[in-house]
Coordinates of all heavy atoms in Angstrom, one line a residue:
I1 N 0.1 -6.0 5.8 CA -1.3 -5.9 6.3 C -1.3 -6.7 7.6 O -0.8 -7.8 7.7 CB -2.3 -6.5 5.3 CG1 -2.2 -5.8 4.0 CG2 -3.7 -6.5 5.9 CD1 -3.0 -6.4 2.9
Q2 N -1.9 -6.0 8.6 CA -2.0 -6.7 9.9 C -3.5 -6.8 10.4 O -4.3 -5.9 10.2 CB -1.3 -5.8 11.0 CG 0.1 -5.8 10.9 CD 0.7 -4.9 12.0 OE1 0.3 -3.8 12.2 NE2 1.6 -5.5 12.8
R3 N -3.8 -8.0 10.9 CA -5.1 -8.2 11.5 C -4.9 -7.7 12.9 O -4.1 -8.2 13.7 CB -5.5 -9.7 11.5 CG -6.8 -9.9 12.1 CD -7.2 -11.4 12.2 NE -7.1 -12.1 10.9 CZ -6.1 -13.0 10.7 NH1 -5.3 -13.4 11.6 NH2 -6.1 -13.6 9.5
I4 N -5.8 -6.8 13.3 CA -5.7 -6.2 14.7 C -6.8 -6.7 15.6 O -6.7 -6.6 16.8 CB -5.5 -4.7 14.7 CG1 -6.7 -4.0 14.0 CG2 -4.2 -4.3 14.1 CD1 -6.6 -2.5 14.0
N5 N -7.8 -7.3 15.0 CA -8.9 -7.9 15.8 C -9.7 -8.8 14.9 O -9.9 -8.6 13.7 CB -9.8 -6.7 16.3 CG -10.8 -7.3 17.3 OD1 -10.5 -8.2 18.1 ND2 -12.0 -6.7 17.3
R6 N -10.3 -9.8 15.5 CA -11.2 -10.8 14.8 C -12.4 -11.0 15.7 O -12.2 -11.4 16.9 CB -10.5 -12.1 14.5 CG -11.4 -13.1 13.9 CD -10.7 -14.3 13.3 NE -10.2 -13.9 12.0 CZ -9.4 -14.6 11.2 NH1 -8.9 -15.7 11.6 NH2 -9.1 -14.1 10.0
T7 N -13.6 -10.9 15.2 CA -14.8 -11.1 16.0 C -15.7 -12.1 15.3 O -16.0 -12.0 14.1 CB -15.6 -9.8 16.1 OG1 -14.7 -8.8 16.7 CG2 -16.8 -10.0 17.0
L8 N -16.0 -13.2 16.0 CA -16.9 -14.2 15.4 C -18.3 -13.6 15.3 O -18.9 -13.1 16.3 CB -16.9 -15.4 16.3 CG -17.8 -16.6 15.9 CD1 -17.4 -17.2 14.6 CD2 -17.9 -17.7 17.0
K9 N -18.9 -13.7 14.1 CA -20.2 -13.2 13.9 C -21.3 -14.3 13.8 O -22.4 -14.1 14.1 CB -20.2 -12.3 12.6 CG -19.4 -11.1 12.7 CD -20.0 -10.1 13.7 CE -19.2 -8.8 13.7 NZ -19.8 -7.8 14.7
Y10 N -20.8 -15.4 13.3 CA -21.8 -16.5 13.1 C -21.0 -17.8 13.1 O -19.9 -18.0 12.5 CB -22.5 -16.4 11.7 CG -23.3 -17.7 11.4 CD1 -24.6 -17.9 11.9 CD2 -22.8 -18.6 10.5 CE1 -25.3 -19.0 11.6 CE2 -23.5 -19.7 10.2 CZ -24.8 -19.9 10.7 OH -25.5 -21.1 10.4
Q11 N -21.5 -18.8 13.8 CA -20.9 -20.2 13.8 C -21.9 -21.2 13.3 O -23.0 -21.3 13.9 CB -20.4 -20.5 15.2 CG -19.6 -21.8 15.3 CD -19.0 -22.0 16.7 OE1 -19.5 -21.5 17.7 NE2 -17.9 -22.7 16.7
G12 N -21.6 -21.8 12.2 CA -22.4 -22.8 11.6 C -21.9 -24.2 11.7 O -20.9 -24.4 12.5
A13 N -22.5 -25.1 11.0 CA -22.1 -26.5 11.1 C -20.7 -26.7 10.5 O -19.9 -27.5 11.1 CB -23.1 -27.4 10.3
I14 N -20.4 -26.1 9.4 CA -19.0 -26.2 8.8 C -18.3 -24.9 8.6 O -17.1 -24.9 8.3 CB -19.1 -27.0 7.5 CG1 -20.0 -26.3 6.5 CG2 -19.5 -28.4 7.7 CD1 -19.9 -26.8 5.1
L15 N -19.0 -23.8 8.7 CA -18.5 -22.5 8.4 C -18.6 -21.6 9.6 O -19.6 -21.6 10.3 CB -19.2 -21.8 7.3 CG -19.2 -22.4 5.9 CD1 -20.0 -21.7 4.9 CD2 -17.7 -22.5 5.4
D16 N -17.5 -20.8 9.9 CA -17.6 -19.7 10.8 C -17.4 -18.4 10.1 O -16.5 -18.3 9.2 CB -16.5 -19.8 11.9 CG -16.7 -21.0 12.8 OD1 -17.8 -21.5 12.9 OD2 -15.6 -21.6 13.3
I17 N -18.1 -17.4 10.4 CA -18.0 -16.1 9.7 C -17.5 -15.0 10.7 O -18.1 -14.9 11.8 CB -19.3 -15.6 9.1 CG1 -19.8 -16.7 8.1 CG2 -19.1 -14.3 8.4 CD1 -21.1 -16.5 7.4
Y18 N -16.4 -14.3 10.4 CA -15.8 -13.4 11.2 C -15.8 -12.0 10.6 O -15.8 -11.8 9.4 CB -14.3 -13.8 11.5 CG -14.1 -15.1 12.2 CD1 -14.1 -16.3 11.5 CD2 -14.0 -15.1 13.6 CE1 -13.9 -17.5 12.2 CE2 -13.8 -16.2 14.3 CZ -13.7 -17.4 13.6 OH -13.5 -18.6 14.3
S19 N -15.7 -11.0 11.4 CA -15.4 -9.6 11.0 C -13.9 -9.3 11.5 O -13.7 -9.4 12.7 CB -16.3 -8.6 11.6 OG -16.0 -7.3 11.3
D20 N -13.1 -9.1 10.6 CA -11.7 -8.8 10.9 C -11.4 -7.3 10.8 O -11.9 -6.6 9.8 CB -10.7 -9.5 9.9 CG -10.6 -10.9 10.2 OD1 -11.1 -11.4 11.2 OD2 -9.9 -11.6 9.4
K21 N -10.7 -6.7 11.7 CA -10.3 -5.3 11.6 C -8.8 -5.4 11.2 O -8.0 -6.0 11.8 CB -10.4 -4.6 13.0 CG -10.3 -3.1 12.9 CD -10.9 -2.4 14.1 CE -12.4 -2.4 14.2 NZ -13.1 -1.8 13.2
M22 N -8.6 -4.7 10.0 CA -7.3 -4.8 9.4 C -6.6 -3.5 9.3 O -7.2 -2.5 9.0 CB -7.4 -5.4 8.0 CG -8.2 -6.7 7.9 SD -7.5 -8.1 8.7 CE -6.1 -8.4 7.7
R23 N -5.3 -3.5 9.6 CA -4.5 -2.2 9.4 C -3.7 -2.4 8.1 O -2.9 -3.4 8.0 CB -3.5 -2.0 10.6 CG -2.6 -0.8 10.3 CD -1.7 -0.5 11.5 NE -2.5 0.0 12.6 CZ -2.5 -0.5 13.8 NH1 -1.9 -1.6 14.0 NH2 -3.3 0.0 14.7
L24 N -4.0 -1.6 7.1 CA -3.3 -1.6 5.8 C -1.9 -1.0 5.9 O -1.6 -0.3 6.9 CB -4.2 -0.9 4.8 CG -5.6 -1.4 4.7 CD1 -6.3 -0.8 3.5 CD2 -5.7 -3.0 4.5
D25 N -1.1 -1.2 4.9 CA 0.2 -0.7 4.9 C 0.3 0.8 5.0 O 1.3 1.4 5.4 CB 1.1 -1.3 3.7 CG 0.5 -0.9 2.4 OD1 -0.7 -0.4 2.3 OD2 1.2 -1.1 1.4
D26 N -0.7 1.5 4.6 CA -0.7 3.0 4.7 C -1.2 3.5 6.1 O -1.4 4.7 6.3 CB -1.6 3.6 3.6 CG -3.1 3.3 3.7 OD1 -3.5 2.6 4.7 OD2 -3.8 3.8 2.8
G27 N -1.5 2.5 7.0 CA -1.9 2.9 8.3 C -3.4 2.9 8.5 O -3.9 3.0 9.7
S28 N -4.2 2.9 7.4 CA -5.6 3.0 7.6 C -6.2 1.7 8.1 O -5.6 0.6 8.0 CB -6.3 3.4 6.2 OG -6.0 2.4 5.3
I29 N -7.4 1.8 8.7 CA -8.1 0.6 9.3 C -9.3 0.3 8.4 O -10.1 1.2 8.1 CB -8.5 0.9 10.7 CG1 -7.3 1.3 11.6 CG2 -9.2 -0.3 11.3 CD1 -6.2 0.3 11.8
Q30 N -9.5 -1.0 8.1 CA -10.7 -1.4 7.4 C -11.3 -2.6 8.0 O -10.6 -3.4 8.7 CB -10.3 -1.7 5.9 CG -10.0 -0.6 5.1 CD -9.8 -1.0 3.6 OE1 -9.9 -2.2 3.3 NE2 -9.6 0.0 2.7
D31 N -12.6 -2.8 7.8 CA -13.3 -4.0 8.3 C -13.4 -5.0 7.1 O -13.8 -4.6 6.0 CB -14.7 -3.7 8.8 CG -14.7 -3.0 10.1 OD1 -13.8 -3.2 10.9 OD2 -15.5 -2.1 10.3
W32 N -12.9 -6.2 7.3 CA -12.9 -7.2 6.2 C -13.8 -8.4 6.7 O -13.7 -8.7 7.9 CB -11.5 -7.7 5.9 CG -10.7 -6.7 5.1 CD1 -10.9 -5.4 4.9 CD2 -9.4 -7.0 4.6 NE1 -9.9 -4.9 4.2 CE2 -8.9 -5.9 4.0 CE3 -8.6 -8.2 4.5 CZ2 -7.7 -5.8 3.4 CZ3 -7.4 -8.1 3.9 CH2 -6.9 -6.9 3.3

C-alpha cells in the first residue's frame, strides 16, 4: 500500500486530521 498524497483537513490543539490518497496493491486508489 502506498500513500500518494496527504492533505491536512483540520489542525487542532493536539490532533491533526488528514485525508490520505492511497494506492492499494491491486492498483486502485482510495481516500483514507
Side-chain angles (χ1 to χ4, degrees):
I1 300 172
Q2 290 181 303
R3 180 183 310 111
I4 55 178
N5 190 36
R6 173 168 280 170
T7 305
L8 180 64
K9 295 295 186 176
Y10 171 79
Q11 188 169 25
I14 58 170
L15 299 175
D16 294 333
I17 301 174
Y18 295 89
S19 177
D20 284 352
K21 194 159 290 292
M22 307 298 290
R23 178 178 287 120
L24 305 185
D25 59 347
D26 67 0
S28 64
I29 306 293
Q30 288 186 356
D31 291 324
W32 290 8

